[in-house]
Amino acid sequence: MLSLLQGNWNLPGATYLWMFPIYGLAVFLEPLHDRLSGAYWFIRGFIYLALIFATEYVTGWLLSQALGSCPWDYSYTTPYHMDGYIRMDYAPVWFIVGLLFERIHRFLDRIRL
């Protein structure tokens, strides 16, 4: 994002290899999506938010224990953090992202290969 704001259209970035299995945990939201399909959207959004926060907190804590630090440490970037592992001010973002993932899931379910 910073590259784009600085006008660098090559969009270089950095990540950690640990992030790939962590992001892969999203696959466990798929069966949950099917079970929650009848619930009101705001209840589904809060469930996704809670699960994303829980995953972020637990994986951050585990990495911190195993490696001595967490790749994302929000301790110095915002006062709205929990032990540096999650940012509470991201709650609206994760709420919306969870609901967007539902739409993507529904779209992918309709594709016939």
Side-chain angles (χ1 to χ4, degrees), residues 1-12:
M1 181 70 164
L2 184 60
S3 300
L4 186 61
L5 294 174
Q6 293 173 343
N8 184 346
W9 292 99
N10 291 327
L11 302 177

Side-chain angles (χ1 to χ4, degrees), residues 6-112:
Q6 293 173 343
N8 184 346
W9 292 99
N10 291 327
L11 302 177
T15 190
Y16 298 90
L17 287 177
W18 295 108
M19 299 311 293
F20 293 110
I22 292 170
Y23 289 144
L25 293 172
V27 74
F28 294 110
L29 293 178
E30 184 175 356
L32 180 66
H33 165 255
D34 295 335
R35 296 192 72 188
L36 292 175
S37 62
Y40 292 110
W41 65 270
F42 57 87
I43 293 172
R44 295 191 321 267
F46 277 112
I47 291 172
Y48 296 134
L49 164 64
L51 290 172
I52 291 169
F53 269 169
T55 302
E56 188 175 22
Y57 188 94
V58 169
T59 56
W61 181 84
L62 287 171
L63 287 173
S64 186
Q65 296 300 305
L67 305 174
S69 67
C70 176
W72 61 93
D73 183 359
Y74 301 125
S75 300
Y76 306 104
T77 58
T78 179
Y80 309 108
H81 67 87
M82 286 185 66
D83 300 328
Y85 301 128
I86 59 174
R87 288 184 60 151
M88 300 309 288
D89 55 336
Y90 280 11
V93 174
W94 294 132
F95 182 97
I96 292 168
V97 164
L99 295 174
L100 287 174
F101 282 161
E102 279 188 339
R103 288 182 173 261
I104 293 168
H105 182 250
R106 279 191 223 111
F107 172 75
L108 292 174
D109 276 349
R110 287 194 306 257
I111 295 176
R112 301 282 183 210

